[in-house]
């Protein structure tokens, strides 16, 4: 059975065809250009689907997209990274064009599913995936199934308040966007988050302080999730983590200091292994076998 996976991001859209063993057969990518509206993006998606599956072998289409979503109805609600898409029924539009079952879920959740089944969390019963990129997102997988909560919003970890004094969320203080802001403020408008981490590793005092605050806030979020969910493993992905794998050790050490002594041996953090294609694999996994 063939499946199509679609990963819609604020910057890029990716479409891929997978076989029954989740081997990637074909893959294409284009700029989303979300600011130009949904119509042009939809035409690109139609074209990319046709490119990867010209003979229409796929039995269904799975999509990972930024939330909030109404996953059951297939509607993009008010995703801040997709202006002009609000209230758009993506599931219906693609079904009308291709006549195949279409499934829609939050992009971080489908990446979580892929990492749990094929990636760094393979073999674990409970996996908490967190992506740290432009924003912060997550997904919780239990025994191979996504836990989405009653309204479908479970594991929106970026909305956790980790700085009580300022009422700031994990996303507001730990995302790539937050780090980019700090880098520009400290080092100059042309600088990136990468420059901030380089400065910190070269012992720039203020840069070290920013990274230390990042560790403090992020480890607080991880510790809270350990107490509430008790995952077997955390899988950390997204550009910030994938480009700075040395952060894993610092986070592990800090979290071990924060949890009860008896729980320290249970703290397991692992770097995501599927890279930017995790969302494609996970989206394809939404397509159910029809025997």
């Amino acid at each position: 059975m063939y499946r199509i996976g679609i990963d819609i991001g604020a910057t890029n859209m990716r479409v891929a065809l997978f076989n029954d063993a989740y081997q990637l057969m074909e893959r294409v990518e284009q700029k989303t250009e979300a600011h130009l509206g949904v119509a042009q993006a939809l035409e690109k998606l139609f074209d990319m689907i046709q490119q990867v599956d010209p003979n229409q072998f796929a039995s269904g289409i799975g999509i990972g997209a930024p939330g909030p979503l109404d996953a059951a109805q297939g509607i993009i609600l008010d995703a801040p990274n997709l202006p002009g898409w609000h209230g758009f029924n993506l599931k219906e539009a693609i079904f009308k064009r291709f006549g195949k079952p279409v499934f829609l879920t939050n992009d971080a959740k489908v990446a979580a599913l892929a990492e749990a089944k094929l990636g760094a969390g393979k073999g674990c019963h409970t996996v908490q995936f967190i992506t740290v990129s432009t924003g912060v997102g997550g997904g919780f997988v239990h025994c191979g199934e996504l836990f989405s909560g009653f309204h479908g919003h479970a594991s929106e970890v970026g909305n956790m308040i980790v700085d009580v004094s300022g009422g700031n969320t994990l996303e507001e203080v730990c995302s790539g966007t937050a780090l980019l802001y700090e880098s520009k403020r400290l080092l100059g408008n042309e600088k990136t988050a990468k420059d901030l981490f380089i400065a910190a590793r070269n012992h720039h005092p203020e840069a070290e302080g920013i990274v230390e605050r990042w560790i403090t806030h992020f480890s607080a979020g991880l510790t809270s999730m350990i107490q509430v969910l008790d995952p077997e493993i955390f899988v950390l992905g997204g550009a910030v983590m994938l480009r700075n794998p040395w952060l894993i050790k610092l986070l592990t050490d800090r979290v071990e200091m924060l949890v009860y002594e008896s729980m320290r041996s249970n703290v397991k953090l692992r770097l995501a292994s599927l890279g930017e294609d995790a969302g494609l694999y996970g989206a394809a996994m939404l397509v159910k076998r029809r025997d």
Side-chain angles (χ1 to χ4, degrees):
M1 183 180 86
Y2 289 87
R3 302 170 172 89
I4 288 173
I6 298 176
D7 182 15
I8 297 176
T11 304
N12 297 305
M13 298 187 295
R14 304 178 181 96
V15 179
L17 179 70
F18 295 86
N19 66 13
D20 205 31
Y22 293 110
Q23 292 176 312
L24 197 156
M25 310 301 292
E26 299 287 344
R27 180 190 186 279
V28 293
E29 180 174 333
Q30 288 197 43
K31 294 293 184 183
T32 308
E33 298 181 296
H35 63 285
L36 297 179
V38 67
Q40 59 86 29
L42 194 62
E43 286 303 315
K44 290 178 184 175
L45 279 177
F46 290 166
D47 181 61
M48 287 191 286
I49 292 169
Q50 188 65 34
Q51 285 183 58
V52 301
D53 189 24
N55 297 311
Q56 298 197 31
F57 288 144
S59 62
I61 299 170
I63 308 169
L69 310 168
D70 181 337
Q73 297 300 316
I75 298 172
I76 308 289
L77 294 178
D78 50 356
N81 292 335
L82 297 176
W85 295 49
H86 298 179
F88 181 69
N89 195 317
L90 182 60
K91 179 178 176 179
E92 181 180 70
I94 292 181
F95 175 77
K96 283 183 176 179
R97 175 64 175 80
F98 292 97
K100 301 175 185 291
V102 180
F103 307 85
L104 175 70
T105 296
N106 175 273
D107 52 358
K109 287 183 172 62
V110 296
L113 190 62
E115 286 289 349
K117 288 190 169 185
L118 298 176
K122 185 177 180 180
C124 298
H125 285 87
T126 54
V127 177
Q128 175 65 60
F129 172 77
I130 303 175
T131 177
V132 188
S133 190
T134 303
V136 177
F140 185 70
V141 179
H142 175 68
C143 294
E145 298 292 333
L146 274 171
F147 175 74
S148 297
F150 185 77
H151 297 100
H153 304 316
S155 229
E156 292 288 351
V157 297
N159 295 325
M160 293 177 59
I161 295 176
V162 294
D163 180 6
V164 178
S165 62
N168 293 318
T169 66
L170 188 65
E171 182 164 282
E172 288 172 326
V173 295
C174 289
S175 66
T177 301
L179 290 167
L180 177 62
Y181 169 81
E182 292 290 356
S183 182
K184 290 181 180 297
R185 180 186 64 80
L186 180 64
L187 303 173
N189 284 331
E190 77 285 359
K191 298 300 183 180
T192 66
K194 177 182 178 180
D195 295 309
L196 180 68
F197 283 119
I198 290 173
R201 300 198 80 182
N202 288 329
H203 306 295
H204 185 296
E206 291 184 72
E208 284 184 311
I210 293 169
V211 173
E212 170 60 26
R213 287 194 295 275
W214 187 93
I215 294 291
T216 297
H217 291 132
F218 204 90
S219 59
L222 293 175
T223 303
S224 296
M225 283 180 264
I226 287 173
Q227 304 293 350
V228 174
L229 294 172
D230 189 26
E232 184 176 350
I233 192 170
F234 286 94
V235 175
L236 306 181
V240 171
M241 299 308 306
L242 294 174
R243 294 171 185 171
N244 300 282
W246 52 276
L247 291 171
I248 296 284
K249 177 66 166 60
L250 297 180
L251 287 169
T252 300
D253 291 345
R254 186 65 58 85
V255 173
E256 287 179 347
M257 291 173 57
L258 293 172
V259 298
Y260 287 112
E261 185 175 354
S262 61
M263 300 174 66
R264 289 174 185 169
S265 62
N266 298 331
V267 177
K268 294 183 175 64
L269 277 60
R270 193 176 293 170
L271 194 67
S273 63
L274 295 177
E276 66 179 16
D277 283 341
L280 284 174
Y281 282 91
M285 288 176 182
L286 298 177
V287 179
K288 305 300 182 184
R289 178 186 289 276
R290 293 182 298 169
D291 295 321

